[in-house]
């Protein structure tokens, strides 16, 4: 049974940094993709970063150059380092995991509860 638990959200001033972490109850390499999603107030959830089982990463244009996604296999976590945060980064950040280890495309099926980030 896959459970994803996010942590690391909070309030920060514009220009600041935060690191989010997503703990997987199973082996993170049992998912082809793991990713982070952002839902701003009043908007739809958007995928902002993902990392594949073979290490490929991809970012939304809105976070490219500011956010970094990386896996920590020893801790079974997928992390998101966020720098130069902007007020528009405010929202709920949710971790997602692929339904299987097979690629070649991502199919997110498991979700965490999310962690709130507020940038003022």
């Amino acid at each position: 049974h896959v459970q994803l638990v996010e942590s690391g959200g909070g309030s920060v001033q514009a220009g600041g940094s935060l690191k989010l972490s997503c703990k997987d109850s199973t082996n993170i390499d049992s998912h082809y993709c793991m990713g982070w999603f952002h839902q701003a107030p009043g908007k739809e959830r958007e995928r902002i970063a993902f990392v594949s089982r073979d290490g490929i990463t991809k970012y939304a244009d809105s976070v490219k150059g500011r956010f970094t996604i990386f896996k920590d296999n020893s801790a079974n976590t997928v992390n998101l380092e966020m720098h130069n945060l902007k007020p528009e980064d405010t929202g709920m950040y949710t971790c997602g995991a692929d339904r299987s280890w097979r690629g070649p495309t991502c199919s997110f099926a498991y979700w965490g509860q999310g962690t709130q980030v507020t940038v003022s």
Side-chain angles (χ1 to χ4, degrees), residues 21-32:
S21 186
C22 172
K23 176 78 172 178
D24 186 351
S25 62
T26 65
N27 187 331
I28 57 174
D29 280 340
S30 66
H31 312 290
Y32 181 70

Side-chain angles (χ1 to χ4, degrees), residues 54-87:
D54 43 11
I56 295 170
T57 58
K58 192 166 183 181
Y59 300 90
D61 288 343
S62 58
V63 306
K64 206 172 289 183
R66 300 188 298 122
F67 291 11
T68 303
I69 187 170
F70 61 98
K71 296 191 291 184
D72 182 346
N73 287 77
S74 65
N76 240 12
T77 59
V78 175
N79 306 293
L80 187 70
E81 281 196 347
M82 308 187 294
H83 299 287
N84 190 21
L85 283 160
K86 304 176 181 181

Side-chain angles (χ1 to χ4, degrees), residues 10-18 38-41 43 48 60-67 81-93 116-120:
S11 297
V12 65
Q13 290 190 334
S17 299
L18 282 174
H38 170 231
Q39 186 166 20
K43 296 190 176 180
I48 54 171
D61 288 343
S62 58
V63 306
K64 206 172 289 183
R66 300 188 298 122
F67 291 11
E81 281 196 347
M82 308 187 294
H83 299 287
N84 190 21
L85 283 160
K86 304 176 181 181
E88 52 263 42
D89 295 320
T90 292
M92 186 65 72
Y93 285 75
Q116 177 70 31
V117 170
T118 302
V119 184
S120 58

